[in-house]
């Protein structure tokens, strides 16, 4: 475990508050494309993926040896299941996975256009699994956002997204946040009780600034924590889209985040080495590691998927 320092900045009464947070590299695995962190209360594990490395990884909150499961396909997002194990979003569709037994079984086989894979995804407070697809060619062709209900019925709900990330809901379940990283924009959609999405509205943007919005996690206060690829930072947005806090990361490409631990008081952050030059890697040897810190707030408890 490596301890590094990260500066935190937040607007307080019109001034910038600067404090120090210990951002820990708790797993130094050199992920090519770390993504999809997920806390499992039943397993007391933090799961995540190396998409390009075709691995499902995990660490135990209480210590112990980390582990991984080699996958026969690329997978990128997951949710826990009430029946045990995980549901995975993969380039071959949705799969049931029992990491403890090392088993995989198809739940919703799907065929995507050539050159597409899954990307981000999370469950909402009503137990629906939302997940996205993208073109491997930097999102040149639009991908989509899908919703899978507990009866495993699956439908595409958005199609004008190039690199769909974030895919996180508000504590009251009334708002879905979705980033299009290619457009450097975070959007918000109203969600009806039956899962229909209202028109998108701009929530926040990083256009003209360093980096783009990537994966996110919502805390119990309704603030959105967003990992910003290329900007070496995690930004906490207030519900009105204003920046509340910025946490600097020791790597250029933090990719996603999730709250975990028994009290959901730890924020885990994945990262990537993909696209970095040898000089970049020499300057940031922790690229591709899993980080963690305690932000002073707790995460939003999310249900397991019933399907």
């Amino acid at each position: 475990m490596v301890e590094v320092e990260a500066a935190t900045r937040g607007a307080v009464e019109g001034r910038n508050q600067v404090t120090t947070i210990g951002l820990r590299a708790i797993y130094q695995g050199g992920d090519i494309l770390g993504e999809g962190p997920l806390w499992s209360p039943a397993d007391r594990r933090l799961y995540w993926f190396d998409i390009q490395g075709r691995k499902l990884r995990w660490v135990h909150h209480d210590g112990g040896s980390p582990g991984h499961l080699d996958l026969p396909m690329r997978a990128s997002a997951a949710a826990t299941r009430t029946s045990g194990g995980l549901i995975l979003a993969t380039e071959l569709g949705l799969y049931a996975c029992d990491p403890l037994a090392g088993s995989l079984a198809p739940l919703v086989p799907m065929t995507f256009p050539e050159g597409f894979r899954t990307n981000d995804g999370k469950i909402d407070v009503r137990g629906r699994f939302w997940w996205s697809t993208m073109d491997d060619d930097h999102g040149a062709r639009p991908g989509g956002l899908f919703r899978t209900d507990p009866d495993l019925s699956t439908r595409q709900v958005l199609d004008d997204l190039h690199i769909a990330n974030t895919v996180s809901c508000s504590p009251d379940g009334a708002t879905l946040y979705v980033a299009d990283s290619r457009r450097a924009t975070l959007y918000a959609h109203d969600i009806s009780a039956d899962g229909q999405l209202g028109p998108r509205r701009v929530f926040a943007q990083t256009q003209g600034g360093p980096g783009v919005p990537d994966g996110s996690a919502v805390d119990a206060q309704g603030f959105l924590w967003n990992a910003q690829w290329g900007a070496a930072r995690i930004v906490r947005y207030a519900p009105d889209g204003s920046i509340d806090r910025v946490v600097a990361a020791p790597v250029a490409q933090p990719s996603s985040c999730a709250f975990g631990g028994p009290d959901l008081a730890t924020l885990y952050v994945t990262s990537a080495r993909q696209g970095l030059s040898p000089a970049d890697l020499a300057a940031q040897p922790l690229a591709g590691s899993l980080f963690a810190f305690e932000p002073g707030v707790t995460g939003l408890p999310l249900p397991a998927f019933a399907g």
Side-chain angles (χ1 to χ4, degrees):
M1 184 182 299
V2 176
E3 188 87 10
V4 295
E5 293 298 315
T8 300
R9 300 180 184 271
V12 178
E13 296 180 350
R15 301 187 303 273
N16 284 333
Q17 182 187 48
V18 181
T19 59
T20 300
I21 286 179
L23 194 66
R24 308 182 299 279
I26 62 173
Y27 180 78
Q28 300 177 62
D31 288 338
I32 303 169
L33 182 54
E35 262 286 6
L38 167 72
W39 171 251
S40 169
D43 298 342
R44 296 177 68 87
R45 288 176 171 181
L46 190 285
Y47 290 101
W48 80 100
F49 298 91
D50 181 351
I51 298 177
Q52 303 296 18
R54 300 191 178 197
K55 295 183 187 300
L56 171 66
R57 297 193 186 275
W58 60 82
V59 292
H60 298 269
H61 182 77
D62 301 326
S65 299
H68 75 271
L69 177 65
D70 290 314
L71 301 172
M73 78 292 273
R74 292 181 297 177
S76 60
T80 58
R81 302 177 71 202
T82 55
S83 57
L86 309 174
I87 179 172
L88 308 186
T90 86
E91 62 187 348
L92 301 180
L94 302 180
Y95 272 67
C97 176
D98 182 346
L100 302 180
S103 64
L104 282 171
L107 285 175
V108 185
M110 300 180 71
T111 301
F112 304 116
E114 185 176 355
F116 278 72
R117 62 167 173 83
T118 57
N119 194 41
D120 206 340
K122 283 187 177 66
I123 200 161
D124 71 11
V125 296
R126 292 188 174 95
R128 298 172 296 218
F129 187 41
W130 303 77
W131 51 278
S132 68
T133 60
M134 65 168 284
D135 180 4
D136 252 341
D137 184 16
H138 306 288
R141 295 171 291 172
L145 180 69
F146 295 76
R147 190 189 77 234
T148 299
D149 295 333
D151 64 0
L152 295 181
S153 61
T154 299
R155 56 187 53 81
Q156 185 170 346
V157 295
L158 292 175
D159 58 9
D160 186 24
L161 292 165
H162 287 267
I163 304 178
N165 276 301
T166 291
V167 194
S168 299
C169 73
S170 59
D172 61 4
T175 303
L176 184 74
Y177 300 102
V178 181
D180 189 334
S181 300
R182 190 177 174 96
R183 293 186 173 116
T185 301
L186 279 156
Y187 298 104
H189 296 259
D190 292 336
I191 314 174
S192 66
D194 62 357
Q196 300 299 309
L197 295 181
R200 73 186 184 190
R201 58 187 183 273
V202 172
F203 176 71
Q205 294 181 304
T206 62
Q207 294 173 349
V212 297
D214 207 318
S216 296
V218 174
D219 64 34
Q221 297 175 4
F223 287 63
L224 182 81
W225 294 79
N226 177 245
Q228 299 199 337
W229 180 281
R233 66 187 187 184
I234 301 97
V235 178
R236 187 190 193 221
Y237 289 98
D240 64 2
S242 62
I243 293 178
D244 170 76
R245 209 183 306 178
V246 177
V247 178
V251 294
Q253 297 176 166
S255 53
S256 192
C257 51
F259 284 93
D263 51 4
L264 297 180
T266 300
L267 191 66
Y268 291 92
V269 181
T270 53
S271 67
R273 300 168 66 87
Q274 180 170 280
L276 296 179
S277 68
D280 292 332
L281 292 171
Q284 43 183 302
L286 293 176
S289 297
L290 176 73
F291 300 91
F293 68 98
E294 284 66 47
V297 295
T298 58
L300 175 65
L302 295 172
F305 183 68

